[in-house]
Amino acid sequence: MNLYRKKITTSSLIRWAGLPAMVAGILYVVVGMFHQPNIVSSVTTTQWAIVHAIATAMCFFFLLGITGIYARQAENAGWLGLAGFLLLSLWAVITVTFTLVEVTILPLLATEAPTLAEGFLGIFNSSADKTDFRVLANLWTLTGPLYILGGLLLGIATFRAGILPRWAAVLLAIGTVLAPIAALLPPEHEPKVAVPVGVALAWLGYALWSERKRS
């Protein structure tokens, strides 16, 4: 029997990592567009559950996609690219931990212990200093520098490597650096600052996925 066996190579795995990168970028935009304010009344809504389930999935796709993007250009990206990749990966790991709590535990807290739920939400509103969630608030605060510095370094390294689209790399670097602007916007618009990064990630993922197989 003549069986066709498709050879799995490192280059093909890296290429297919473009798909989760594209999905992560799209989901990132969706989360940014539909994320509700971090208040107790939002937590028990269907929209909250859907958006945070999507955010959780986005983090997993992000980790797969960003790994492929870095691996594709690892030799050319140097230590700058490695540092950016590791920082963004750590950001995604911490973020998915919080989103899992937001989609599974927080709705129960909002119903049974709304004061506790409000204290947890204070992590995201910078008002958790007087609650029992101070340690988690400090951990969440760490995600800001990880996100900004990781995106900036990987964006610069991708631009310098010249393997993936340079304008997507510029968008990634600028989009992450602009993240602090979110604090100046009304709460309902803060997550929208993430949209440029989502577009950059989908762009880089498409470029990776659409590459022809290397010999």
Side-chain angles (χ1 to χ4, degrees):
M1 182 181 290
N2 183 22
L3 295 177
Y4 173 73
R5 293 184 178 180
K6 190 173 183 179
K7 187 178 180 180
I8 299 176
T9 62
T10 302
S11 60
S12 65
L13 288 175
I14 292 173
R15 178 173 172 265
W16 279 101
L19 280 179
M22 282 190 284
V23 173
I26 294 170
L27 295 184
Y28 207 18
V29 173
V30 170
V31 171
M33 295 299 294
F34 295 100
H35 195 287
Q36 294 172 288
N38 290 311
I39 55 178
V40 175
S41 59
S42 300
V43 173
T44 54
T45 64
T46 301
Q47 183 175 338
W48 178 278
I50 293 174
V51 167
H52 286 81
I54 292 174
T56 301
M58 183 276 298
C59 289
F60 287 111
F61 285 122
F62 182 92
L63 284 169
L64 290 173
I66 207 72
T67 300
I69 290 171
Y70 169 70
R72 174 65 182 88
Q73 54 184 345
E75 294 181 2
N76 300 76
W79 289 103
L80 204 63
L82 177 61
F85 163 66
L86 293 176
L87 291 174
L88 281 179
S89 297
L90 183 56
W91 167 81
V93 170
I94 295 175
T95 300
V96 75
T97 305
F98 279 91
T99 58
L100 279 171
V101 172
E102 288 178 280
V103 74
T104 58
I105 299 175
L106 199 55
L108 298 176
L109 282 181
T111 303
E112 303 296 333
T115 302
L116 201 58
E118 187 174 4
F120 185 86
L121 288 170
I123 294 172
F124 311 109
N125 299 326
S126 302
S127 59
D129 291 344
K130 298 178 181 179
T131 73
D132 296 328
F133 298 105
R134 193 177 305 172
V135 174
L136 290 177
N138 292 333
L139 181 61
W140 179 253
T141 301
L142 184 63
T143 61
L146 290 174
Y147 178 80
I148 295 170
L149 192 57
L152 177 62
L153 293 181
L154 186 60
I156 293 174
T158 301
F159 183 87
R160 293 175 61 185
I163 296 174
L164 296 172
R166 281 179 161 156
W167 281 112
V170 171
L171 191 60
L172 176 66
I174 293 178
T176 50
V177 170
L178 290 178
I181 290 179
L184 305 176
L185 299 175
E188 62 272 23
H189 295 304
E190 289 181 4
K192 294 180 178 59
V193 176
V195 171
V197 175
V199 173
L201 189 60
W203 190 350
L204 291 170
Y206 176 76
L208 189 65
W209 178 75
S210 61
E211 282 187 329
R212 293 182 180 276
K213 290 183 179 179
R214 290 172 290 174
S215 59

